[in-house]
Amino acid sequence: MKKEYAKMDAASLHLANKKVVLKLIKHNSQISRSSLAKESGLTPPSITRIVDELINVDGLVESLGVGNSSGGRPPMIVKFKNENNYIIGIDLGATYIRGCMVDLNANFISEIQVPTELEKGFFSIIDKVIKMIHKLQSRKETNAKIWGVGIGVAGLVNSETGIIESSPDFGWFNIDLRKELEKHLDLPFFYDNSTRLMALGELKMGVKENQKNFAVINIGYGIASGLVVEGNLLKGFSGFAGEFGHIPVDTDSDVQCKCGMYGCLEALASGHRIASLGKQAVADNRSEILKELCMGNAELITAELVARAAKKGDPASMKIYDDVAEYLCKGIGTIANLLNPETVYIGGGISLNGDLLFNLIEQKRNKYLLAGNARVNIQPSTFGDQATSIGAVSVVLNKILNLELSGNMVEI
Ligand SMILES: [Zn+2]
C-alpha cells in the first residue's frame, strides 16, 4: 500500500514538473534545454526525459536541433509545436453561429459562419453546430491533430453540472447540452457562458500580457460581462458572477427586462432595444433615413441599421445611440468604481459598428467615474467578432497546457 502511494506521488510530481516545462516552452518562442533546467530548477536528466516525452508522446514540442554556442557545449533548442496542433472554437450566438479552427498560437486555419435561425428551435441549432464542427474537422491536413472543441453559449451555464440553467436569448431552460453533443462528437468538448469565455480569451491570448484586472462587456442581443480580478476569472458563489446587464440604470423606467425587473441596462441598451427603438421611430414617422434604409419594412431594422442611419446624420437614430451610450457609461462607471480595472473591453455585435458608440462613450464616461478610476481604458475587444470563439479556444488550450487532454498515463 505504502509503495502504491509512493508511486502515485512520483507520478503526480512528474506531471507537475512536465506542466512547468511545457508552459516555459510555450512562453518562450525558443528555449534551450539547459535554460529550461535553469528556469525550472529541475536537473538536466529530468529535463531531457520530460522534453523527450513532450516531443515523442504528446507531440506538443519540437526540437530545432543544435543552436549557436557562446563557448562550451552547444545548446539544444526546442520550441512549442503550434503548427499542426489545432483547436476548434464555436460561438453559439442568437444571431450567428461562428466557428474557427486555429493552431495553438491562435493563427486562423479556417472559419465558418451561419445564421442561427432561432425560430427553427433547439435541434436545428444543435444540428448546425455539429455540422460546423464536422466541416472544420474535414479541413485539417491529415498529419494534423485537433485537440478539442470549445463552445461559448449565451446564458447561465452551471460550470459544475454543465446544465444551461437559463438562456433567455434561445428560450432554453435546464438544457443538458452535453448529452446532445456527446451523441455526435468524437472530440473532447467544453462549453461555458460566451461572455465569460470572451474574458478568458483576453486573459490568455489578448494583446496585453500580464493584465490582471479588467472587464469584458458583451453587447449584443443581450448584455453581459466577464470580470478578471487579480488574474482570475470571477465566477462567484454559484458561477453566475458578471450579470452586468441587470444593473438598474433607470429606476423610473417602465421598460421591463426579460429578468422581470424594470430599468435594467440590458432592457435599455442591448441590440434588441436599439432595434425596437428604431422600429418605433419609423412607425412614428420620426426617421426618413431609417425608413429608406429598411426599404419601408420596419421588421428589417436591426441595431446595425440604426447605427448606419445615425452615421448618415439621422437625428432620431443618433438620439437612440446617445441614450444607449449614456446608460452604458452608467454601467461601466459601476464596474470601474467597484473593481478598479485597467481596461474595460467592449465586444459583441454592437461594438462592431465602428467609432459611433466608442466616440459617444468617450464623451460621457468621466461623468460616472471617480477620479481614481478615470484612467481606465475603454476599448474594443481584441478579437472583434471572433472574441467568443477565441475565448472558447483558450479553454481547450488551457487544458492542453495542463496536460489534461494528452491521455497518456505517465509510467514511473
Ligand atoms: Zn434584467
Side-chain angles (χ1 to χ4, degrees):
M1 198 67 183
K2 219 172 176 182
K3 209 176 158 196
E4 286 264 297
Y5 279 124
K7 195 174 165 185
M8 237 167 63
D9 286 345
S12 39
L13 184 65
H14 178 74
L15 191 66
N17 289 339
K18 201 169 155 184
K19 281 186 216 176
V20 169
V21 172
L22 180 60
K23 284 174 189 171
L24 275 172
I25 297 172
K26 169 86 171 78
H27 187 71
N28 295 276
S29 52
Q30 302 182 2
I31 188 164
S32 69
R33 290 183 186 231
S34 52
S35 303
L36 278 172
K38 217 179 284 166
E39 286 194 38
S40 66
L42 294 168
T43 61
S46 297
I47 290 294
T48 301
R49 182 165 168 226
I50 288 173
V51 169
D52 287 349
E53 235 174 64
L54 287 168
I55 294 173
N56 300 318
V57 181
D58 304 281
L60 288 168
V61 170
E62 64 185 316
S63 171
L64 293 181
V66 177
N68 291 330
S69 167
S70 52
R73 278 173 67 180
M76 302 285 284
I77 311 288
V78 292
K79 76 177 268 289
F80 188 66
K81 189 173 181 291
N82 57 293
E83 302 90 357
N84 284 343
N85 277 316
Y86 298 158
I87 299 171
I88 290 175
I90 304 285
D91 171 8
L92 176 46
T95 315
Y96 292 105
I97 306 171
R98 293 188 173 93
C100 64
M101 183 161 68
V102 300
D103 72 14
L104 299 190
N105 271 350
N107 298 309
F108 280 75
I109 309 297
S110 184
E111 286 176 75
I112 304 177
Q113 174 176 311
V114 296
T116 310
E117 299 178 301
L118 276 181
E119 66 285 358
K120 292 193 177 168
F122 176 73
F123 288 103
S124 158
I125 294 170
I126 296 305
D127 190 50
K128 283 185 188 213
V129 170
I130 288 160
K131 282 194 177 128
M132 182 176 279
I133 293 169
H134 287 161
K135 204 168 188 177
L136 288 165
Q137 271 182 290
S138 73
R139 291 182 183 175
K140 80 166 183 68
E141 299 86 353
T142 37
N143 59 344
K145 170 176 178 174
I146 301 175
W147 285 78
V149 182
I151 303 169
V153 54
L156 296 177
V157 180
N158 184 320
S159 50
E160 299 287 313
T161 61
I163 300 284
I164 300 175
E165 297 200 354
S166 129
S167 176
D169 291 4
F170 289 95
W172 294 349
F173 297 92
N174 293 316
I175 289 276
D176 191 348
L177 189 59
R178 178 165 306 281
K179 212 169 84 186
E180 286 309 312
L181 294 177
E182 259 169 5
K183 293 180 198 163
H184 308 278
L185 295 182
D186 54 0
L187 287 167
F189 64 87
F190 311 91
Y191 55 88
D192 204 341
N193 168 272
S194 48
T195 311
R196 209 146 63 184
L197 292 187
M198 277 173 127
L200 199 67
E202 288 291 350
L203 183 66
K204 301 289 176 190
M205 294 174 155
V207 276
K208 286 190 186 167
E209 262 190 60
N210 299 322
Q211 196 177 209
K212 289 198 161 55
N213 292 284
F214 64 86
V216 174
I217 295 170
N218 184 4
I219 316 169
Y221 202 77
I223 296 183
S225 73
L227 308 170
V228 172
V229 178
E230 305 299 341
N232 293 308
L233 195 60
L234 195 69
K235 287 195 167 180
F237 175 62
S238 323
F240 299 148
E243 284 301 321
F244 175 62
H246 305 283
I247 290 178
V249 286
D250 181 0
T251 45
D252 295 329
S253 174
D254 57 3
V255 181
Q256 192 173 23
C257 182
K258 281 178 290 187
C259 72
M261 295 191 289
Y262 288 84
C264 290
L265 180 62
E266 177 169 302
L268 296 172
S270 65
H272 187 68
R273 174 68 173 170
I274 295 169
S276 77
L277 288 173
K279 287 173 191 171
Q280 195 57 51
V282 169
D284 299 345
N285 278 323
R286 285 185 285 112
S287 173
E288 276 310 308
I289 294 180
L290 200 50
K291 196 172 175 182
E292 214 172 277
L293 284 174
C294 72
M295 295 169 293
N297 181 0
E299 282 313 301
L300 296 179
I301 293 175
T302 58
E304 194 263 327
L305 211 65
V306 180
R308 263 204 273 162
K311 282 184 227 165
K312 281 176 177 266
D314 176 42
S317 300
M318 198 60 210
K319 172 84 170 68
I320 293 171
Y321 268 90
D322 198 75
D323 289 347
V324 160
E326 192 80 35
Y327 290 131
L328 285 172
C329 285
K330 276 190 191 178
I332 291 168
T334 305
I335 282 191
N337 292 332
L338 194 64
L339 298 175
N340 183 221
E342 183 179 342
T343 305
V344 173
Y345 294 98
I346 301 183
I350 304 305
S351 70
L352 303 173
N353 293 326
D355 293 337
L356 173 71
L357 187 65
F358 286 96
N359 288 343
L360 289 167
I361 288 174
E362 208 49 45
Q363 288 164 25
K364 298 168 186 293
R365 49 175 276 167
N366 285 357
K367 274 201 269 177
Y368 302 102
L369 293 167
L370 292 176
N373 293 315
R375 280 180 306 162
V376 62
N377 302 304
I378 302 176
Q379 63 184 68
S381 69
T382 307
F383 298 105
D385 61 359
Q386 295 288 4
T388 298
S389 322
I390 290 294
V393 159
S394 66
V395 172
V396 183
L397 180 65
N398 236 0
K399 296 204 178 276
I400 294 172
L401 295 178
N402 283 316
L403 297 165
E404 290 170 34
L405 298 180
S406 285
N408 292 296
M409 289 307 291
V410 181
E411 290 293 326
I412 296 290

